[in-house]
Amino acid sequence: MKRLKIKDIVMIALLSALYMIFYMISGTAVMIFGAFGHAISPGVCAIFTGTIMYFMSRKVGKFGQFLIMQAICMILFSIMGAGYLPWFITSMLGALIADLIASISDKPSVLRVAAASGVFHVGQAFGSIIPSMFFMESYREEWISRGQTPEAMDEMISYTTGFMGIVSTAVVFLLAVVGVYIGYFILRKHFEHATVRNVA
C-alpha cells in the first residue's frame, strides 16, 4: 500500500476546496425542496463532485485520501458553525470505508470508486439520519438551540426516520454512484491520453 506524500496531501486539499465550493452551491440549490432536499443534499453534491472523486482516485489513489478530504470538509463546516459530533463520526466512518473500498489498490475500477463515493456521502447523510433514528429528542433540541425552528426540525426528522430515512439513504448512494460515472465519462479520454503519453 503506497503512502501519502506531501504533494498528495496538497492535491487533496486543493480538491477538497473545490469540493466544498460545489457542496455549498448544491446545498443552497436543494433548499427549494425543503427538508427532503436537505436530507439528500450530500447526494446532490455527489452528482457534481463525482468528477472530483474520480480524478482524485487516479491522481492520488492512496489510502487516506478520502479520510483527509472528509476531515478537511468537517473542519471547514465546524469553522462555519455547522460542526456536530455525530455528523463528524458518521462522515469519518464513511470516509474510512470508502478508503478501504477504493484506496488500497492502484487504479481501482470505476465501480469501486462509485461505491466508495456512495459510502462517503451516505456517511455525511447519516449525520442527520442516525440522530433522528436513535436520539431524536436531543438532536432536535440541539439544533433548535442553534436557531432552527421546531417546525423545521420536525419536518427534517420526518424525512430522516423510518421508511423515508431508508429512501433518503438510497437516493444519496445512487446519486453518488451516478456522479462518479459522470466523472468517468468526462475524464476517461484525458486519462487515456495520459497513459499513452507515459507509455510513449
Side-chain angles (χ1 to χ4, degrees):
M1 188 185 302
K2 294 181 181 179
R3 294 187 178 184
L4 289 164
K5 298 178 181 178
I6 296 297
K7 67 175 184 178
D8 297 321
I9 295 172
V10 171
M11 174 65 76
I12 295 168
L14 292 172
L15 293 174
S16 298
L18 183 59
Y19 176 95
M20 282 296 294
I21 291 170
F22 280 105
Y23 198 111
M24 301 306 294
I25 293 171
S26 62
T28 301
V30 297
M31 288 301 101
I32 61 172
F33 299 107
F36 181 64
H38 181 77
I40 65 167
S41 59
V44 176
C45 167
I47 280 280
F48 297 102
T49 58
T51 304
I52 296 172
M53 306 293 275
Y54 182 73
F55 182 84
M56 186 169 71
S57 76
R58 292 298 183 263
K59 295 298 285 188
V60 179
K62 296 173 184 175
F63 189 85
Q65 59 187 347
F66 294 118
L67 276 167
I68 293 172
M69 173 176 271
Q70 195 79 284
I72 290 171
C73 293
M74 290 296 109
I75 289 169
L76 291 175
F77 279 122
S78 295
I79 291 171
M80 291 186 285
Y84 182 52
L85 184 58
W87 188 29
F88 176 83
I89 292 171
T90 60
S91 295
M92 293 308 292
L93 282 174
L96 174 60
I97 296 170
D99 268 324
L100 292 171
I101 292 171
S103 303
I104 56 176
S105 60
D106 291 335
K107 294 184 179 179
S109 67
V110 182
L111 178 60
R112 290 179 76 88
V113 178
S117 181
V119 174
F120 182 96
H121 289 95
V122 165
Q124 293 177 352
F126 274 6
S128 57
I129 292 172
I130 296 297
S132 292
M133 288 185 172
F134 296 102
F135 42 95
M136 182 192 304
E137 286 305 318
S138 62
Y139 168 62
R140 184 175 181 273
E141 290 171 7
E142 169 74 20
W143 286 97
I144 289 174
S145 71
R146 296 193 189 197
Q148 294 291 331
T149 65
E151 294 77 16
M153 285 307 301
D154 289 340
E155 186 179 5
M156 180 65 191
I157 288 168
S158 72
Y159 285 109
T160 51
T161 53
F163 176 72
M164 285 309 299
I166 296 170
V167 170
S168 295
T169 300
V171 169
V172 169
F173 187 87
L174 179 61
L175 291 176
V177 168
V178 171
V180 168
Y181 274 95
I182 291 172
Y184 164 70
F185 286 116
I186 291 172
L187 295 174
R188 63 177 178 172
K189 290 192 180 298
H190 166 76
F191 286 111
E192 285 172 3
H193 291 325
T195 301
V196 170
R197 287 196 302 269
N198 290 336
V199 171

